[in-house]
């Protein structure tokens, strides 16, 4: 892989690790409020992001590139209501989708076909990420200030399990 692709992949590894950090911070926020389902959802999300970083890490190594890890920025420490947290999560996923699309554009410009194939998985994954996060945002909007609906939603999110393929 050429240097430009290598640098761009390394940047994306950092974005995915930062994503993991953001979701871990959100998990800590929910855990502090004893919202176990929301905590579970965020912890699994943090694990998924780590798996995304590892997927890119492996791709760089398999292609003879060199992984260079940079500093991971600190995530926010303070969060608002569950709706606000999930709106932030959705905005974050939209940002990541933009990063992946930009990265794919670079792979096209550089005619790096293996990178394009690898990134197609991420393009698809981002559709799923936005769909899943957006669904929780919609449910939280429906719940509004209704505490019992919020409680039921927390119970539902407690059911989320790690994906089979670890993605
Ligand atoms: Fe990701
Ligand atoms: Fe994500």
């Amino acid at each position: 892989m050429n240097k430009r692709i290598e640098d761009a992949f390394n940047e994306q590894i950092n974005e995915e690790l930062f994503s993991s950090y953001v979701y871990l911070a959100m998990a800590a926020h929910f855990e502090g409020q004893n919202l176990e389902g929301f905590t579970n959802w965020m912890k699994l999300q943090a694990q998924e992001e780590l798996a995304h970083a590892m997927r890119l890490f492996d791709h760089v190594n398999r292609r003879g590139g060199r992984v260079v890890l940079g500093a991971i920025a600190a995530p926010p420490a303070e969060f608002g209501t569950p709706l606000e947290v999930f709106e932030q999560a959705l905005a974050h996923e939209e940002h990541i989708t933009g990063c992946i699309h930009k990265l794919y554009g670079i792979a096209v410009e550089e005619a790096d076909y293996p990178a394009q194939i690898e990134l197609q998985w991420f393009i698809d994954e981002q559709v799923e990420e936005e769909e899943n996060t957006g669904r929780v945002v919609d449910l939280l909007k429906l719940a509004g200030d209704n505490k019992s609906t919020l409680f039921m939603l927390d119970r539902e999110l407690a059911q989320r399990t790690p994906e089979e393929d670890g993605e």
Side-chain angles (χ1 to χ4, degrees):
M1 72 181 356
N2 77 27
K3 181 80 177 118
R4 186 175 175 220
I5 297 279
E6 186 187 272
D7 288 348
F9 265 73
N10 277 321
E11 256 178 61
Q12 192 59 34
I13 289 172
N14 190 273
E15 287 279 358
E16 299 293 343
L17 291 173
F18 175 66
S19 300
S20 185
Y21 232 31
V22 167
Y23 292 125
L24 206 53
M26 289 174 174
H29 165 79
F30 284 130
E31 195 136 42
Q33 298 179 19
N34 288 320
L35 287 166
E36 285 173 26
F38 290 113
T39 304
N40 175 57
W41 197 95
M42 287 297 174
K43 279 184 177 170
L44 288 174
Q45 194 65 19
Q47 280 176 26
E48 269 198 26
E49 299 302 349
L50 185 58
H52 294 169
M54 289 314 296
R55 226 186 136 109
L56 297 166
F57 181 102
D58 291 340
H59 184 80
V60 171
N61 283 314
R62 289 175 68 202
R63 302 282 312 285
R66 172 87 202 275
V67 169
V68 179
L69 298 174
I72 305 167
E78 299 300 329
F79 296 95
T81 63
L83 175 60
E84 285 166 344
V85 177
F86 272 86
E87 278 174 337
Q88 264 177 271
L90 180 58
H92 182 72
E93 287 302 332
E94 286 164 354
H95 160 74
I96 294 295
T97 299
C99 294
I100 295 291
H101 291 179
K102 217 174 109 199
L103 186 51
Y104 188 83
I106 294 170
V108 169
E109 277 170 32
E110 300 294 330
D112 187 329
Y113 304 110
Q116 286 172 37
I117 290 169
E118 178 61 34
L119 291 170
Q120 274 163 18
W121 181 89
F122 279 89
I123 291 170
D124 203 43
E125 174 69 9
Q126 282 311 117
V127 172
E128 205 181 292
E129 292 272 74
E130 287 189 28
E131 187 184 2
N132 292 340
T133 315
R135 181 180 161 268
V136 182
V137 168
D138 288 347
L139 290 173
L140 283 166
K141 279 183 183 163
L142 275 177
D145 290 333
N146 189 320
K147 291 261 189 296
S148 61
T149 311
L150 193 69
F151 177 74
M152 268 162 31
L153 187 55
D154 187 60
R155 295 277 289 268
E156 191 206 312
L157 296 190
Q159 305 303 313
R160 183 182 178 182
T161 53
E163 285 180 29
E164 294 279 303
D165 48 9
E167 285 154 4

